[in-house]
Amino acid sequence: MNVLVTGGAGFIGSHLANAFLDHGHSVTVLDILDPYYDLGIKDRNLELCRETAPDRFEFVEGSITDESLVNELFADAEFDVVYHQAAQAGVRTSVENPKKPHEINTTSLLNLLEAATATGVDRFVNASSSSVYGVPEYLPYDEDHPNTPKSPYGVTKLAAEHYCRVWTDVYDLPTVSLRYFTVYGPRMRPNMAITNFTSRCLNGESPVIYGDGKQTRDFTYIDDIVDANLALLETDAADGEAMNVGSTGNITIRELAEHVIDVTGAEVEIEYTDAKEADARHTHADVSKARDLIGYEPSTSIKEGVSSFVEWYRENRSWYEPLVLRS
Ligand SMILES: NC(=O)c1ccc[n+]([C@@H]2O[C@H](COP(=O)([O-])OP(=O)(O)OC[C@H]3O[C@@H](n4cnc5c(N)ncnc54)[C@H](O)[C@@H]3O)[C@@H](O)[C@H]2O)c1
C-alpha cells in the first residue's frame, strides 16, 4: 500500500513509518521538523526509515498548514491510507500558547481531510489522545465517558475527532481516531516523565515529580501502539469510530520514579515540586472497544516496558545528547 504518515519524523510517526516499511509498504513522511524538541532525534528517526527501505521511503519537509502543498502531495501520490500523527503535542505547552496547537491540530486537519476525500483515500487514521476525557467521573475510561478536556490541547484533539467522524458520515471518508494513552519507548520525546526520570537517574540526579506522585498514568508501550495502527491497514471494522489504545494497567508516578531508580541503580531520592494545573490527575484506559473491533491486545506491562526503555537509553544516550537546536 501507499501510506502517508504526517508527523513521521516524530516519535510515534517514525515508529509507524518503520513498521509499514518493514511490512513492505511504500511510505511518505510529511513533517515540518518543528524544533519543539531536539531535531537531532528527528534526523535520526528519518535516517532509520531511509536505511530500512531507501526505494520505498520518501521524506517531504513541509507543513500541514500549507494547503497547496498538501493538495499537490495528495494529487501526485494517490495515497491509500493516511496516518495523521503531526501535531503540536504537549498539554502544558498548549496552556502557554493555545493558538499554535489550535492551528496545527484542528484547523490544518481540514486541509488533510479535504485532500484525502478529493483523492479517494481508503482510510484516514487520526492520532487522538486520552486528553479528550479530562476529569474522570469513573475509571478506567471507556468511550462513553463524558469528554471535558482540561487543556487547550485536549480541546484540539476532541475537535479533531469530531471532524473525522463527520468526514465519515457526511463525506464518506473512512476515518478512525485512536486515543493514545501516554506513549513511551525508544526514541520517545525528551520532555516526558519517563525520559526525564531516566536521564536524571543515569546522571546521578533525583527524578523530580510534579505534585504528590499519587497521580496515576496508563503508559502505553510504543510496540502496542504500532500494532493497533497496523491492524487498521487490514480492517474497516472501526471506520467512523474513536477508541482507546492504552496499556495493560496503570501506575502511580511515584511508583514509576521508584522503578526507574531501581532499574538504573541510581542512589538518589525522589524530589517533589508543584503540580501543573492542566495535567490530568489519573488516566486509565478500558480497551474493550479496540479489542472487539480490531483485536487490540496490549502486551507490554509498564514495568517491563520501562525496563526495556532504560536498557535502550543506556546504549543510545547520544540520541538525546548533545541537543541539536535549529532556529
Ligand atoms: N506521545 C504521547 O504520549 C501521545 C499521547 C497521546 C496522543 N499523542 C498524539 O500522537 C501524535 C504523535 O505524537 P508524538 O509523541 O510522536 O509527538 P512528536 O512531537 O514526536 O511528533 C509530532 C511530529 O509532528 C510534526 N509537526 C508539528 N507540526 C507540524 C506541521 N505543521 N506540519 C507537519 N508536521 C508537523 C513535528 O515536527 C513532529 O515530528 C500527535 O498527534 C500527538 O498529539 C501522543
Side-chain angles (χ1 to χ4, degrees):
M1 282 190 212
N2 188 12
V3 182
L4 172 67
V5 183
T6 71
F11 166 47
I12 299 173
S14 66
H15 277 274
L16 294 183
N18 251 299
F20 299 141
L21 292 168
D22 280 340
H23 282 74
H25 302 293
S26 297
V27 174
T28 301
V29 159
L30 171 62
D31 198 303
I32 186 89
L33 302 180
D34 188 299
Y36 172 54
Y37 63 84
D38 178 14
L39 285 173
I41 298 175
K42 296 185 186 185
D43 287 343
R44 293 184 189 105
N45 286 338
L46 292 171
E47 199 43 47
L48 278 181
C49 290
R50 270 186 215 105
E51 282 167 10
T52 303
D55 303 342
R56 287 183 283 112
F57 177 70
E58 192 184 343
F59 172 55
V60 177
E61 184 172 349
S63 177
I64 58 169
T65 58
D66 183 343
E67 192 174 353
S68 332
L69 169 79
V70 168
N71 286 340
E72 274 168 38
L73 180 64
F74 275 72
D76 289 349
E78 299 182 340
F79 300 114
D80 299 309
V81 186
V82 175
Y83 283 85
H84 176 42
Q85 312 296 308
Q88 176 58 58
V91 164
R92 292 174 201 158
T93 315
S94 78
V95 173
E96 284 151 25
N97 179 6
K99 284 188 181 159
K100 185 176 177 194
H102 181 83
E103 188 197 3
I104 296 170
N105 304 357
T106 308
T107 308
S108 302
L109 170 70
L110 302 189
N111 295 337
L112 298 168
L113 290 173
E114 287 191 334
T117 309
T119 55
V121 162
D122 293 336
R123 182 160 302 107
F124 186 98
V125 182
N126 171 50
S128 189
S129 163
S130 59
S131 303
V132 300
Y133 289 116
V135 181
E137 290 187 8
Y138 57 85
L139 287 170
Y141 297 113
D142 57 28
E143 291 79 358
D144 294 328
H145 186 283
N147 299 117
T148 46
K150 276 186 75 185
S151 65
Y153 169 75
V155 173
T156 67
K157 293 309 237 185
L158 184 57
E161 279 190 5
H162 282 299
Y163 275 124
C164 287
R165 181 182 49 76
V166 164
W167 245 259
T168 302
D169 292 348
V170 178
Y171 303 99
D172 293 328
L173 175 72
T175 67
V176 182
S177 289
L178 295 180
R179 293 179 177 167
Y180 299 156
F181 281 67
T182 325
V183 187
Y184 71 100
R187 295 145 48 194
M188 69 186 289
R189 301 208 310 262
N191 48 357
M192 297 181 80
I194 293 177
T195 358
N196 275 331
F197 291 174
T198 304
S199 127
R200 290 183 68 85
C201 286
L202 288 176
N203 288 321
E205 294 163 345
S206 297
V208 180
I209 291 180
Y210 293 106
D212 59 12
K214 292 181 186 158
Q215 63 270 45
T216 54
R217 283 286 174 286
D218 191 323
F219 288 104
T220 315
Y221 197 61
I222 184 67
D223 291 359
D224 289 327
I225 294 294
V226 167
D227 285 349
N229 280 285
L230 278 173
L232 292 172
L233 286 175
E234 310 294 337
T235 176
D236 59 5
D239 287 351
E241 301 289 337
M243 56 195 181
N244 297 336
V245 280
S247 76
T248 55
N250 61 350
I251 189 169
T252 66
I253 297 294
R254 185 186 166 150
E255 280 177 283
L256 173 72
E258 286 168 350
H259 183 62
V260 174
I261 291 174
D262 229 33
V263 181
T264 53
E267 293 186 2
V268 294
E269 300 289 328
I270 298 172
E271 282 176 20
Y272 295 88
T273 185
D274 293 344
K276 301 278 179 181
E277 180 57 27
D279 286 352
R281 180 80 184 147
H282 301 287
T283 69
H284 188 194
D286 178 335
V287 298
S288 319
K289 183 172 177 181
R291 183 180 291 127
D292 291 349
L293 290 178
I294 63 168
Y296 176 66
E297 205 59 71
S299 61
T300 307
S301 75
I302 295 171
K303 287 196 172 170
E304 283 165 357
V306 169
S307 302
S308 309
F309 175 71
V310 169
E311 200 176 311
W312 176 87
Y313 193 105
R314 273 187 207 282
E315 286 163 18
N316 294 278
R317 288 175 83 154
S318 59
W319 275 72
Y320 292 96
E321 303 156 4
L323 294 183
V324 180
L325 294 172
R326 290 179 195 156
S327 55

